Amino acid sequence: MTYASATPDRRILLLGIASAMGASCFFSINDTSVKFLSGGYALHQIVLIRSLIGMTVLSLFVVPSHGGFSAFRTRRLGMHLLRGSFVVTSNLCFFLGLAVMPMAEAVALFFIAPLLITALSVPMLGEKVGPRRWAAVGVGLLGVIVMLRPGAGIFHPAMLLPLFAAFCYAMLHMLTRRLGTTESAVTLTVYIQLTFIGICAISGLILGGGVFASEANASLAFLTRAWEWPDIADMPILGLIGCASVMGALLITHAYRSCEAAVVAPFEYVSMPLAIVFGVVVFGEWPDPAAWGGIALICGAGLYTVLRETRAHPDTPPLASVPGNLRSTALGGDPEA
């Protein structure tokens, strides 16, 4: 079946899946760039610069084509701030862990998030998850355990940071689905960027002078390091981080507004092989055999989930069962209705 001949519902599903995969690519570029700069700058400085660039890109190129400043209008400011707090916490915890850990291991631990999304989509969103998808979740969780290797003596407190980041990320997408009933993807992305700017600016006022600077470990140093003017050679990397983050945010928000969370989540596993490639090429970090086994289990579980759903419901694509799921767009209606 070609894209052109697909039904409107099927086109929505394909576009949602493509958006999730594209977002994963942009987020992998963002993660690699932040890790690359983690030895010379404070985390909140990098994230503030990233968010300012992202907000500029949104304001100049995205917002004008989506209703102008009406994208800033909302009656659910509290929910936006709560959602923003979850994504800021998720980002900061993940990047602090990334400063210490190899990319592949940090991403693998973070990938408990799609498993949490699948599980939380039942009580929080009322979605149905069949026994085979639950089995796939179990296999994916086994893959995470294999990569953690409990009892092997390799545990480091920094491993808890990607795990907590995963929980916050799962909660972010639960709120995305709730807000998606009334808010556009652009509005959701705008308020994420504004939350990042506000929290990182406050962090800079408190920590940016280096008063609390500590070199006890790489994560603590990354958090408490004094701000400094970026080197000219690092400017393109900071620009890349800003553009990649806003594109990833737009795409992943679109994906979770249009499709069921339990279906979109497995496609975020694209980040896993990308983390391996970037880890090897940029940082010389080659996964060991246990890591390869965990990666295979996690990615295999995600792919099985999607293949099973496609075969079980070929004529009923699992779109988000809420208003604003882009069904009206496919049928020629107002995409922001």
Side-chain angles (χ1 to χ4, degrees):
M1 178 180 62
T2 64
Y3 181 88
S5 63
T7 64
D9 280 354
R10 186 63 63 182
R11 287 199 295 270
I12 297 171
L13 178 63
L14 292 174
L15 186 57
I17 290 171
S19 295
M21 296 178 69
S24 296
C25 294
F26 281 115
F27 287 145
S28 295
I29 293 171
N30 175 73
D31 296 345
T32 304
S33 302
V34 171
K35 182 175 174 64
F36 185 80
L37 296 178
S38 65
Y41 300 97
L43 173 58
H44 33 85
Q45 180 185 10
I46 294 175
V47 176
L48 178 62
I49 294 172
R50 180 191 77 173
S51 300
L52 289 171
I53 294 173
M55 195 66 208
T56 300
V57 171
L58 276 174
S59 300
L60 293 179
F61 302 107
V62 180
V63 169
S65 62
H66 289 76
F69 285 99
S70 63
F72 291 83
R73 285 203 219 88
T74 182
R75 295 181 180 178
R76 308 175 74 176
L77 181 60
M79 287 282 283
H80 278 292
L81 295 178
L82 179 61
R83 179 175 177 269
S85 298
F86 274 120
V87 72
V88 170
T89 303
S90 178
N91 268 244
L92 296 183
C93 287
F94 178 73
F95 291 139
L96 288 173
L98 198 61
V100 178
M101 303 171 59
M103 273 197 68
E105 292 185 18
V107 171
L109 289 175
F110 181 78
F111 263 103
I112 197 174
L115 310 178
L116 291 173
I117 290 169
T118 299
L120 290 173
S121 67
V122 176
M124 295 190 67
L125 300 177
E127 295 180 356
K128 294 181 179 180
V129 177
R132 289 179 174 82
R133 267 202 284 184
W134 280 120
V137 167
V139 172
L141 183 57
L142 176 62
V144 172
I145 294 172
V146 168
M147 297 201 69
L148 278 175
R149 285 159 282 186
I154 65 167
F155 177 78
H156 189 285
M159 291 181 173
L160 298 176
L161 292 169
L163 291 174
F164 187 65
F167 170 76
C168 292
Y169 185 75
M171 290 302 299
L172 155 73
H173 284 304
M174 296 301 102
L175 293 173
T176 297
R177 285 291 309 281
R178 290 190 176 278
L179 281 167
T181 60
T182 60
E183 312 292 278
S184 71
V186 175
T187 300
L188 291 167
T189 306
V190 162
Y191 278 97
I192 286 292
Q193 297 298 326
L194 291 175
T195 307
F196 268 119
I197 291 170
I199 291 178
C200 290
I202 293 171
S203 299
L205 291 174
I206 297 172
L207 303 171
V211 177
F212 302 100
S214 171
E215 297 295 329
N217 58 65
S219 290
L220 194 58
F222 196 20
L223 180 65
T224 60
R225 187 178 292 127
W227 286 24
E228 60 180 68
W229 190 258
D231 188 273
I232 293 178
D234 293 331
M235 293 289 193
I237 301 176
L238 289 167
L240 178 63
I241 291 173
C243 294
S245 67
V246 75
M247 288 302 301
L250 282 169
L251 288 172
I252 202 65
T253 301
H254 173 88
Y256 277 92
R257 285 183 70 244
S258 57
C259 301
E260 282 190 3
V263 172
V264 172
F267 283 98
E268 294 190 71
Y269 288 119
V270 170
S271 294
M272 188 67 74
L274 289 175
I276 296 172
V277 171
F278 286 132
V280 171
V281 173
V282 180
F283 305 108
E285 302 166 347
W286 188 259
D288 60 22
W292 282 115
I295 290 166
L297 287 171
I298 292 169
C299 293
L303 290 174
Y304 173 80
T305 299
V306 178
L307 290 174
R308 171 62 195 172
E309 285 304 307
T310 301
R311 291 173 181 174
H313 306 287
D315 299 318
T316 309
L319 305 180
S321 55
V322 293
N325 66 0
L326 308 190
R327 181 184 301 270
S328 61
T329 307
L331 298 176
D334 181 3
E336 304 303 333

